[in-house]
Amino acid sequence: MDEITGLFKDLKETVNSYFGWVYKIGLLLVIPSTLFLFTNATTDLYDTPKFLVLTIITLLLFILLSVKFTLDNKVTFVRTPLDLPLLLLLAVSIVSTVLSQAPFVSLLGNGLKVHTSLVALVAYILFYFVLVNCLKGARETKWVLNLLILGGGVLSILSLLAYWGVKILPPPWVQTANFTPSGSSFSTTAVLALLTPIVTLKILRGKSLEKVINSICLSFFGVTLALTGSWPVWVAAGFGFALPVLLSIPAQTYISKPGEILSRMGSVALIGLIVSLGLVMLVTILSFIPPVGGAQNPFYAKAREFPREIQLPFTYSWKISVSSFRDSPFWGSGPSTYLFDFTKYKPIEINSSKTLWNLRFDSAFNEYLQVLATLGGIGFVALVSLTALFVSSAYKTISGAIHLEGEEMRLHLRGEKLSLAISGLTFFILLALHPSTLVLWVVGLILLVCFMISNQSEESSEIRSSGSIKEVLLGLTGNISLRSSSQAIRIDALPSILLTIAIALSLFGFFFAGKFALADFHHRNALNAVSENQGIVAYNELIAAEKLNPYADLYRVDLAQVNFALANAIAQSKGPTEASPSGSLTDQDKQNIQVLLQQSINEGRTATTLSPNSAVNWEILALLYRQIAGVAQNALVFSLDSYGRAIFQDPLNPLLRISVGGTYYAIRNYDLAIRFFTDSVNLKPDFANGYYNLSVALRDKGDLNTAQAAAEKALSLVDPPSPEYKVAFDYLNDLKNRIASGSAQASEIQPPASQTTGALQNKELPKVVNVGNPPEKIATPPAVPKPSPTPIP
């Protein structure tokens, strides 16, 4: 018995001694992978590999933490003010996923973009709780911050090299001007904005060498922000820089002793701040002011060429989120479903925009509107509570660092705690000005944990409760304060239960993460094969991906299109031509076409079942039906039905109306073609393509005068130097000549919307595909009324 006890004690000491090292190694993997990891082995080059590393490390640390609790025979956890909002956010996400009309999209992400999905949120929140219980003391906090600053410096250098066209990596897909290992310019600049308060305070209060190093870092951060950032990160970074500087200057100095600023800050700190700020201002001025005369300004030229991300404006996003909240007030539409909310609720005035009208956004203006739409009112309350609790705690830290002494107000800097409070506020400012990314959430959570640990190290009070479940629950819900605290729960079976849960959850996570990663690997191989025109390889890879992850509608859609492409290739090479009207299709060829197209239609239908709110899936299915009209009876009927269902999900999209009008025109139903072409111009009055198609349909129906008016309108909406202008001009002249001569001869000019490519539309092909009986009633959206003219004031 003594030997067993001694062995158990040795094991406990071993685990405790190595726990800190394992935890540090885990963070050493999570932070660099979050900032730098990317690979072309997955569909998403950036987020998927980062997420997989985060998930694996989090689960391993969770198991290790549970083992430690088991050996200690007690569960000791760190309570923070953010626990309840995070748990509420998690609970809402689970319920919202279950109730979502596309639960698999909510679970795994739309288009396999894992960020904002339920699995991502589970990983983030579990990472927070594991990290807050692993990170101990100011020394470890400082180590984490130094690692983040080092990563931010390297990230800024890599981004600047890409910005100026310096190719340091061989693959062509990483040689663009906006390449950055984080995955997006916003993610990179957001990280730099989060680190700006920390670096600034290190300049103000550090030793001379530390001030110099951090001044260099701040310069790199600022230049990267100026060149590659956008207004949300500029606002956040400006706040993160200005507040530490203002807090470092006593209030009395502003009023009566401005000369004391130098002595208060120190010459090295002041020089470092001035040089960094001056460099940033110079770069900004050179980027925004065009050169005068024949002078060259590469900064201005690069700034104009740099591809910047497009953010959905607040006004449109507000209307979309409020509409989604109106229809699903408690749980929202489900995680990762904002794209469906956008297509369903976008306001008609977005069609007046020259750059946004044909785009589909999968994220809102900011994180709060995103949560309001996808997680409803309860999720919004959870996020706002998270924000309010941190702001309150940060305010106490900032105000507590300042106190009156005599007639002068002085600032006492308490380690990194003040900089972490400002960084946390910067994090929530970014959430209020821009939708989040995986990188922003992970780095933001790390900084929030560091702040909570700093609070705990100064103000911790240990609360112990034992035995009663009632006491435990009271301990969890009672005495809520803004201080972090350590709480020990002593229930004999609790450590073992927690260990069992940790192991079961980890095994479950590892198994499905492995399947998810392997399926994604096959999908990436399929995409690579498509780019190399290797259809059979792409087909086999997609089959493998679908078997591993049958719930991803993206795999289904891609497999449907690959099946069609293979069948179309057979028909194109052996189908009827002018030289050979009968073609050379064998019975085996016909059977292969039949099997491939049947699989294509089945996969397309399955994609709409998995994600019925996706207008994209319905549109692709409609196009597949339309392209096989030559070999499938009733294919155009199914195409029109699918287009109608796409319009129900995206009712204000003029391009979908154009496609329906073109389909009706192809079967010579000019009345319905005119109706849908008219819908398109009613939705977008400056839509030149809509007027052109409408004019051709009116011409072929015999209404030449109205056709001329539509053609003149189309011509007025096209820029004269463009090729489209010549096409519209030639068509209008042809139409005028017809009207003048009274000619009723058929014209070779057809509406672009009625023209599709593909050998399987050839009516001479045998009907080898059975798509089923046509629907009794085609899904036909109502007509769009003509917009009212703007009243004259």
Side-chain angles (χ1 to χ4, degrees), residues 86 167 192 550 587 646 710:
L86 287 173
K167 299 177 175 60
L192 301 183
D587 291 340

Side-chain angles (χ1 to χ4, degrees), residues 325-396:
F325 170 73
R326 176 198 63 211
D327 292 347
S328 303
F330 297 107
W331 316 110
S333 58
S336 293
T337 59
Y338 190 83
L339 175 62
F340 309 150
D341 295 329
F342 173 81
T343 57
K344 188 175 182 180
Y345 300 115
K346 65 182 179 183
I348 193 169
E349 55 263 29
I350 200 172
N351 286 333
S352 301
S353 170
K354 294 185 179 298
T355 58
L356 302 179
W357 72 272
N358 60 343
L359 299 180
R360 286 169 170 154
F361 289 86
D362 59 2
S363 56
F365 168 78
N366 63 18
E367 192 69 6
Y368 296 89
L369 293 179
Q370 178 102 0
V371 169
L372 180 64
T374 57
L375 299 182
I378 301 178
F380 182 77
V381 169
L383 184 58
V384 171
S385 299
L386 182 74
T387 306
L389 287 171
F390 182 85
V391 170
S392 177
S393 189
Y395 174 76
K396 286 194 171 186

